[in-house]
Amino acid sequence: AQSVAQPEDQVNVAEGNPLTVKCTYSVSGNPYLFWYVQYPNRGLQFLLKYITGDNLVKGSYGFEAEFNKSQTSFHLKKPSALVSDSALYFCAVRDKDNAGNMLTFGGGTRLMVKP
Amino acid sequence: DSGVTQTPKHLITATGQRVTLRCSPRSGDLSVYWYQQSLDQGLQFLIQYYNGEERAKGNILERFSAQQFPDLHSELNLSSLELGDSALYFCASRDRDTQYFGPGTRLTVL
C-alpha cells in the first residue's frame, strides 16, 4: 500500500519570503513522487516530479522539491513566494512497481501568500 | 492547458438519476484515469483504462462504471446518484510517468 501525508492544512507566508510545503510518503518499493497545484475552479496542474537521480528536482514557476529517502520526505520549496502562488498544493506518490500507475494523493495544503 | 478535455464543466441533477461524464485524453496518450475529489474523502483514484481495457480499479462504487472507446475517449457513468456523490470528478491521461489532469466536472446532486 502507498500513502502520503501533508501535515499542514495551511501554510502562511509573506511575499518575498521562502516557502516550504511538507510531504512525507510511504511505499513498499521505490517511490515516484509528484507535486500538483490546484487554483480555484481549475484542474490539477503538474509542477514537478522525482523519478530517479538528483535529489533536488526543479519544476515550473520557480518551485523545487527535495527527495529525502531516509526521512521519506519530498518537501516543496520556493526561494521567494509570490502572491500568485496562493493555491492548493497536492503531493502524490506511486510505487515504481505499481503496474497501474495510479497516484495516491495527500490531503492537500493551502498556501496563502500575503503581500 | 493540459490538453485533457472534460465535459460538461458543471452538472446539476437529482438523487436517483444517472449521468455520464466525458473525457478526452491528450493526443497520443493511451491511458485514462478517473479521480474523485470531495471535501471529506480528498482526491481518490477510481479507475484506469489503457487502450480500451480496464487496467486498475480503486475506490469505485458498484453504481459507477466507466469505459474507454476506440478513439480513446472515456466516459464515467454514475447511476442511482446520492447526495454524497456530489464532488469534482477529474480525468487524467499519462505520458510516460506523468499524469496530466483535465479541468474536471463538478457534479452537484440535489
Side-chain angles (χ1 to χ4, degrees), chain A residues 4-81:
Chain A
V4 177
Q6 292 181 244
E8 302 152 318
D9 289 337
Q10 182 160 316
V11 168
N12 298 309
V13 65
E15 187 174 32
N17 282 2
L19 69 88
T20 299
V21 183
K22 294 179 181 176
C23 170
T24 58
Y25 67 89
S26 174
V27 293
S28 54
N30 291 313
Y32 283 8
L33 294 153
F34 303 82
W35 276 101
Y36 287 85
V37 60
Q38 185 178 25
Y39 296 98
N41 301 313
R42 301 280 293 276
L44 293 165
Q45 280 181 242
F46 168 71
L47 273 182
L48 50 79
K49 67 183 176 185
Y50 170 82
I51 302 298
T52 188
D54 196 351
N55 289 344
L56 185 64
V57 177
K58 293 191 184 296
S60 308
Y61 313 119
F63 284 94
E64 58 190 28
E66 187 163 14
F67 170 64
N68 187 316
K69 189 172 184 177
S70 62
Q71 296 186 4
T72 61
S73 67
F74 189 56
H75 300 331
L76 181 70
K77 301 182 181 190
K78 187 173 182 182
S80 178

Side-chain angles (χ1 to χ4, degrees), chain B residues 1-109:
Chain B
D1 184 3
S2 68
V4 178
T5 60
Q6 289 187 249
T7 56
K9 211 169 179 178
H10 302 278
L11 205 45
I12 301 175
T13 188
T15 54
Q17 295 298 304
R18 173 189 166 95
V19 297
T20 298
L21 282 52
R22 183 187 169 107
C23 167
S24 291
R26 296 179 345 145
S27 177
D29 290 353
L30 301 178
S31 281
V32 169
Y33 300 77
W34 286 97
Y35 292 86
Q36 179 195 58
Q37 184 181 29
S38 62
L39 283 174
D40 53 345
Q41 301 280 357
L43 258 168
Q44 288 199 99
F45 166 71
L46 294 178
I47 196 164
Q48 179 211 358
Y49 277 81
Y50 178 84
N51 203 19
E53 301 286 328
E54 182 185 304
R55 181 61 70 93
K57 249 181 176 176
N59 296 322
I60 188 166
L61 299 171
E62 284 191 16
R63 301 183 284 108
F64 296 1
S65 64
Q67 53 185 328
Q68 187 178 27
F69 295 87
D71 67 351
L72 300 178
H73 92 270
S74 177
E75 293 180 356
L76 180 66
N77 301 296
L78 316 177
S79 60
S80 303
L81 285 167
E82 301 174 0
L83 296 177
D85 297 328
S86 295
L88 197 47
Y89 291 85
F90 288 110
C91 80
S93 69
R94 182 172 59 87
D95 172 31
R96 294 181 201 163
D97 300 308
T98 303
Q99 290 183 30
Y100 297 93
F101 285 75
T105 293
R106 183 169 294 281
L107 173 66
T108 303
V109 183

Side-chain angles (χ1 to χ4, degrees), chain A residues 10-17 81-84 86 111-115:
Chain A
Q10 182 160 316
V11 168
N12 298 309
V13 65
E15 187 174 32
N17 282 2
L82 299 172
V83 172
S84 57
S86 298
L111 174 65
M112 300 287 288
V113 182
K114 303 199 173 166

